[in-house]
Each structure stands twice: as C-alpha cells, then as structure tokens.
Amino acid sequence: MIDCGSGVRLERAVPCTVSDGVVLISDHYYPPEPGPHPTLLMRQPYGRDIASTVVYAHPVWFAAHGYNVVIQDVRGRGDSEGDFYPFRNEGRDGADTIRWVRTRPESNGRVGMYGFSYQGMTQLLAAAEQPEGLVCIAPAQTACDLYHGWFYRQGALRLASSLGWGLQMLKADARRRKLRDASDGLEKAWADLRSQPLVTPYGQHPQLQYEGLPTYVRDWIEHNVPGSYWSALDVSESLARIKIPALHLSGWFDTYLSGSVAGFLSMAVRAEHQYLVAGPWIHIPWGELVGEQNLGPEALLDTDSLLLRWFNHWLKDSGEFAREPRIRHFALGVNRWCDADAFPERSHSLYLHSGGHAESRKGDGRLSSVVPGADEPRDIFIYDPETPVHAPGGAAALSGPLNQAQLELGNNLLVYTTPALTAPLHVFGSPRLILYAATSAGYADFTAKLVRLRSNGQADFVCIGIARSSYLFRDSSYTADAIHCWQIDLEPTSCVVAAGDAIRLEVASSAFPLYDRNPSTPVKPWLMDSWNWQRSTQMVLHDADHPSRLELPLAATS
C-alpha cells in the first residue's frame, strides 16, 4: 500500500481475470475511513496512471470523499493482457470487472462508472450487459452510436479526429508489439499531426500500412456506411437494455457533440433519471477559454463537484441531486446556464434570398421570414477538392466559437445574413437546413454552418452540418444537374443572438479537414487523390417552388 496523503491509500497493479482468462490490471484507491464503501470505476486505454486527469480530479480526490476508486487498463493496453481493438471487448470485460469488484472486501456492492470520450463508451457498453451492482453511470462527451455519433456525419468521415485518434492509438500498439519502424513513423506523423489529413489517398496513409499493426483504423475508413460492423461495437441496438440513471456531459464544440446529445435523447425515452449537462467546451480542456474567446466565469463549471453530488445521490442515498433539471445548458452569447425539461419543438424558419450573387460575405445573400417569390435567381459556386472550404477553425480544424469572417471572403461558399435583430433570439437544439440544389457531379456534399454575426463584424461559429449525396439519397436516385431537396441537420447548440446582431448561414460543399473531401467522382473518398478528383458546379435554388430555408429551434424564452 502507498500513502497518498489525507488517509487515502493506493494499491497498484491489482489483477482481475475476466471470463475468457485474460488478466486486466487496475490501480485501487481506498478512502480514509474503514469500509465497505461504494466503488467508482473507470476503464480506459491511455494508461491507468493518467486516469483522465486532463479533465477530472485525481482519483485520490474522489477516494478522500469516501469512494473506492478503481482505474483499469482495458484489454491490450497498459499492463493488461490481450489485444486491443477499440470497443470490441468493453461490454463483457466491463461487466466481468464489476462482478469482480463487488466480491472484494472493501466494496459494499454498489458501483458507479465515470469517464469521458472512450471511457464514456466503456460505461455504456458495460451498462448494456446489465451487471448486478452497477447503479449509475456518468458518460461524458461520447456516443451510443459509433457510426453516426463518433466517426461519420450523414455519410462524411470526421477525418481530422478519426485519423488523429487512430494514429494516437496505433502509436501505443507499435510500442507494445515492439515494432520499431512503425513506432518511429507514427511518432513522426504525430509530431506533424495537422498535416496528416492532407495525405492522399488517406485510406492508404503510409502510417497505417505497417505489417503487424492492428487494422482498426483502416476498418473505420472502409466501413463507410452504417451496418453490422458498427452495431457490433456500440450500443445502438442495445440501448433498451440500459435502465440505470445516467448523467450525460456534452460540449457545444466537442467532436462527439451530436453523438453525446443523441445518446441522451435516445436513453431518455427508454429509461428514467437521464440528465444532460451541455457546456461550451471543446473535447479538452473544459473551461471558460474556448477558441479565441473568454466565455466568462460561469463556463468554469466545477464538474468534479457535480460528479460527486451525482454519485452521492445514487450510491450513498444523499438525495442531493433531486432538484437538478433534466437539461442544464450553457447559452452562448449571454454566457450563462439555463434549465430545460426537454429540447423545444417549435422552430423559426428563415428563407434564403439573393439577387443571384450570394458568393462570400461581399455578396447579396439574405435570410428572412418572407417566403421567396417565383422569380428569384439561383446562386452558383464552384467546389474544388484541391482548394476546399476549411473547417470552423480553418486549416487546423480547431474547435470553438472562432471568427469565420476571413473564411467568408472566399467565393467558394454562399453567405446569407439576416438584418440586425430587433430582439434577442435563443436558438436551442439542432438547426436544420432544407436546401434545394443541383450539382454538375453525380457525387456531392453540402455543408451548412450557423454563424452569429456581431455588430462589430465578428462572425462567431456556432454549429455545422454536412450531408453526402451517396448517404442522404441512398434509398433513392441522385443524378447530376437534377434538383434535389437536401435535409442537412446541424449539430445542437444553445446560442442567444442579441438585438443588434444578426444570424448568418454559410452554404458550401466542404469543411476540410473536419470532414473528408468528396472527389465528385465514383472514386471512394478514402482512395481519392488529385488524379481522380474533379471540380463541380453547385446551384442553390430559392424560389416559390424551391423554398430553401433554415429552420431554427427556439427556446421558450430568450
């Protein structure tokens, strides 16, 4: 036993043999007072000593508040035996670990799980196994549905995050398997991570090809449609088996935002005691400094104390979470927390208008509540895979309420803006763009970006959506030069646009490297390079027969 101060003791490298004979290793932190006590379990692939301390308090802090804390290396990571394939074994291994934890003398039989990102998915997968003694979970910034909520968005691969995380995971695999050449290559790529999405074809990225490395990154890329590959890894088809209380934590600028909120909404119709806290955060870290902005002291939510109250309520019967709202969301623009029982159903439609020259913010694109007339001209722009429109944070795919004004100068996107608002408007939920468009290519993407335009000209990114023709129209036909109705769901948000500010919509055909590029040809995007991509002409219609519009969900009060 190691003395951690404050009466907390640490027992390192405790073995647990799971049902197929593999030994998993965990560190155990014991509280000062004699037990038995409830247990908090985190299962993660990054090294149990880290214990997600990039965003959570050290396990010693939770132990000092009266919990056994178990931090376990998942199968094939750290000191645990077996081979690592993301998500594949976490349900069974998690359930086995919970059964084992409950047999230990320090345990009172009540277990809660916590952790974010991958550690959030380990909770959901274990909960779907319904192990006795798992009382509650707190999955943060994760997804129940890996295809739709983690790796893909309406058919487009989340390129920067998927490739970046994949390279990170493979680095550890190369070291574990003593593949020195692979390790050196992966480390070199990691040192220049922002350049990796530029490698084409990205599906044949040289750092993914080393003999002896696992294939999971290539598998994610090649399984570009939903199906049994994905449902075997996640809980998308077993959500009904998760009956326990869950505290979902989401970030408005997190990579897995849509997956996290969708998971909450899906679980809320199947199980009681589902709560959502949606803050203004990126994936890491969580605080008031987001992108280029300081969002004020309320953004510095003490998530550790929040977790402690959650676990005290369910594992110690303290009752201290009883008055919490179902949804607690941080409203951008006014930078304060709001409460809600549900996401709103009412929406406000803003129709696209122009004189046929909506390219860039220098153009004449407008948004208004007036339905377009019969004779409005089309807006036209050129999509070029070689010079794509960049992601919200530019070429680096950074996250946050970043200023889009520079990007909006390009003629490779359309910009539509309302007049200055006369009263505040609180957008809360997932906006939707109904877009009537025709393209010269048989393969196309459209993106929609919601922007809050301040009176000083600063254009704050709020949220984005994308749709790929091969996904959106997979059950129908899609042909070049024909008019199709695109439904593009943007990611959820809570944003108050103040009186004097304006609402802006950007329409483009790329958001690189946040999402992969469409080659505009039959070539698979992951096999695309400059030899087989082509430009395409995109036409957006907004007339009486084709009323393109942005549908904004509105909070009950602003």
Side-chain angles (χ1 to χ4, degrees), residues 18 24 26 35 60 64 70 87 100-101 152 154 169 187 193 199-200 245 296 307 318 385-386 475 494 520 542:
V18 294
L24 307 180
S26 52
V60 168
V70 176
F87 313 109
W100 167 73
V101 162
Y152 288 85
Q154 296 203 107
M169 294 293 97
E187 290 291 350
L193 187 59
V199 175
T200 57
L307 278 180
S318 70
E386 187 169 12
D475 296 327
S494 175
S520 303
H542 41 80

Side-chain angles (χ1 to χ4, degrees), residues 233-256:
L233 297 176
D234 62 24
V235 294
S236 59
E237 295 184 358
S238 56
L239 274 180
R241 293 180 54 80
I242 304 179
K243 300 295 187 182
I244 59 177
L247 173 61
H248 306 257
L249 191 73
S250 304
W252 292 139
F253 303 106
D254 176 43
T255 304
Y256 310 125

Side-chain angles (χ1 to χ4, degrees), residues 238-537:
S238 56
L239 274 180
R241 293 180 54 80
I242 304 179
K243 300 295 187 182
I244 59 177
L247 173 61
H248 306 257
L249 191 73
S250 304
W252 292 139
F253 303 106
D254 176 43
T255 304
Y256 310 125
L257 166 63
S258 60
S260 182
V261 173
F264 160 74
L265 293 172
S266 296
M267 290 174 63
V269 300
R270 294 172 170 86
E272 294 182 323
H273 308 302
Q274 303 296 306
Y275 295 83
L276 173 68
V277 176
W281 311 301
I282 60 175
H283 199 58
I284 303 172
W286 307 340
E288 85 284 19
L289 300 178
V290 185
E292 303 158 335
Q293 297 186 25
N294 186 323
L295 299 183
E298 288 201 35
L300 278 170
L301 182 68
D302 186 349
T303 50
D304 293 314
S305 294
L306 177 72
L307 278 180
L308 189 63
R309 291 192 293 109
W310 170 256
F311 288 123
N312 286 346
H313 180 91
W314 295 107
L315 298 179
K316 295 184 177 181
D317 302 319
S318 70
E320 59 195 279
F321 213 81
R323 297 185 180 275
E324 287 292 324
R326 284 285 181 247
I327 302 174
R328 187 180 182 189
H329 58 102
F330 189 90
L332 301 164
V334 292
N335 295 342
R336 60 177 171 81
W337 291 96
C338 303
D339 298 342
D341 292 326
F343 282 94
E345 296 182 0
R346 73 187 186 108
S347 64
H348 176 60
S349 293
L350 293 173
Y351 293 90
L352 281 61
H353 298 273
S354 81
H357 183 39
E359 308 99 296
S360 85
R361 62 181 170 87
K362 297 177 291 183
D364 62 1
R366 306 182 309 280
L367 288 174
S368 81
S369 57
V370 177
V371 179
D375 58 351
E376 288 199 18
R378 302 178 179 186
D379 290 312
I380 302 174
F381 69 96
I382 304 300
Y383 164 60
D384 185 352
E386 187 169 12
T387 56
V389 176
H390 285 137
L398 300 175
S399 301
L402 298 159
N403 190 354
Q404 305 298 291
Q406 180 71 30
L407 295 175
E408 291 170 347
L409 288 173
N411 275 2
N412 54 356
L413 77 167
L414 306 178
V415 177
Y416 302 90
T417 310
T418 66
L421 301 187
T422 58
L425 194 70
H426 188 171
V427 180
F428 176 45
S430 297
R432 173 176 294 167
L433 176 63
I434 305 298
L435 188 74
Y436 292 89
T439 73
S440 64
Y443 301 84
D445 293 348
F446 276 101
T447 65
K449 188 190 300 178
L450 180 65
V451 172
R452 177 171 66 107
L453 179 63
R454 300 199 201 186
S455 57
N456 64 1
Q458 181 166 318
D460 293 342
F461 168 78
V462 178
C463 59
I464 193 170
I466 189 171
R468 179 156 288 170
S469 61
S470 58
Y471 174 86
L472 194 62
F473 303 103
R474 62 193 182 279
D475 296 327
S476 58
S477 59
Y478 184 84
T479 57
D481 297 316
I483 299 171
H484 296 274
C485 181
W486 295 65
Q487 178 177 302
I488 305 173
D489 293 322
L490 283 69
E491 297 200 328
T493 189
S494 175
C495 181
V496 176
V497 183
D501 292 348
I503 295 169
R504 174 169 284 174
L505 169 70
E506 297 176 20
V507 176
S509 284
S510 53
F512 181 79
L514 182 67
Y515 300 108
D516 65 346
R517 292 172 283 187
N518 196 319
S520 303
T521 68
V523 175
K524 300 294 186 184
W526 66 88
L527 298 176
M528 174 196 74
D529 60 21
S530 60
W531 288 89
N532 48 47
W533 65 38
Q534 68 180 29
R535 301 183 186 95
S536 57
T537 301

